Amino acid sequence: MASSSHCFFVFSMALLLQFLVAPAASALPLNSTQYIDKLCQMSSIDDKPFCWQTLTGFRWAKYAGSSVTLAEVVISGLLVSHVQKTMRFALLTAQKEPSLKAQFGTFHDTYRTMGYSLGKAFQELRVSPRTANHDVMTCTDQITQVMNLIGKNQDVSSKTLIDMTMQMKKLLPLGVTATQAIGG
């Protein structure tokens, strides 16, 4: 289980590195936000202030030179990053707390499935935006699965995982809408 998480992490970081280098060579103004504006104004974004604050607060999103690049940044920089953080938390909790081992192992696996879907979406953005959109949207099912499995657990770790899952639930529409903006 840990080795697949490590492989996914390495793969994700390799993808993210291309965005870390790209802005330096970009001729865009430092605070270009035209693609952020367009995305956050789309009708499928319910929480427009959250969209704006999140994307303008993520410096790589400001460098997006196209809607495709913004979608790549949203998926790899925001969604995949949050999935990785949540996977690490679930894995560490499963290792530290024997009474939660099975349940948090399941949560880790569910988030790994989300990471896989997002990795596929990232790869498909330029060739098949609709398929990418579908792959991002499937993460909604995994979020629901985690929330249903965690139930009304009151322990600190479960509450933390609920908070992390709720944050993913807020971030996911940004990825869905970003793929829709490029024809998904």
Side-chain angles (χ1 to χ4, degrees):
M1 201 171 3
S3 67
S4 63
S5 296
H6 178 73
C7 290
F8 179 73
F9 177 76
V10 170
F11 171 75
S12 299
M13 288 301 102
L15 293 175
L16 186 58
L17 281 175
Q18 85 181 54
F19 296 109
L20 298 177
V21 175
S26 176
L28 293 174
L30 186 58
N31 290 319
S32 175
T33 60
Q34 77 184 68
Y35 297 104
I36 293 172
D37 292 337
K38 180 182 172 187
L39 189 143
C40 292
Q41 292 306 314
M42 291 181 69
S43 61
S44 53
I45 295 289
D46 291 330
D47 191 345
K48 292 175 184 353
F50 174 79
C51 178
W52 175 257
Q53 290 170 348
T54 301
L55 294 180
T56 58
F58 188 60
R59 93 176 186 192
W60 302 115
K62 290 190 250 181
Y63 289 104
S66 69
S67 294
V68 174
T69 304
L70 181 59
E72 290 172 336
V73 168
V74 167
I75 290 171
S76 68
L78 292 175
L79 299 179
V80 169
S81 176
H82 190 74
V83 164
Q84 289 171 340
K85 183 172 91 173
T86 307
M87 282 175 53
R88 280 191 300 274
F89 174 77
L91 185 61
L92 290 173
T93 301
Q95 291 171 349
K96 290 180 184 176
E97 299 185 35
S99 64
L100 298 173
K101 183 176 183 168
Q103 188 176 30
F104 274 75
T106 300
F107 298 147
H108 176 269
D109 292 345
T110 303
Y111 267 90
R112 184 175 49 199
T113 300
M114 268 192 257
Y116 177 74
S117 293
L118 293 170
K120 281 181 31 186
F122 181 89
Q123 291 175 332
E124 296 162 342
L125 276 171
R126 293 181 184 267
V127 293
S128 180
R130 285 185 182 196
T131 304
N133 178 263
H134 178 290
D135 287 335
V136 174
M137 289 178 67
T138 62
C139 293
T140 303
D141 296 336
Q142 278 83 33
I143 289 171
T144 301
Q145 182 180 4
V146 169
M147 295 306 288
N148 289 340
L149 288 171
I150 206 160
K152 298 188 186 302
N153 291 7
Q154 294 299 310
D155 60 276
V156 173
S157 296
S158 294
K159 287 181 180 181
T160 300
L161 184 66
I162 288 170
D163 290 344
M164 295 173 94
T165 302
M166 294 307 292
Q167 181 66 20
M168 184 66 186
K169 190 174 182 176
K170 287 183 77 171
L171 290 171
L172 196 57
L174 303 182
V176 171
T177 304
T179 60
Q180 289 171 345
I182 58 173

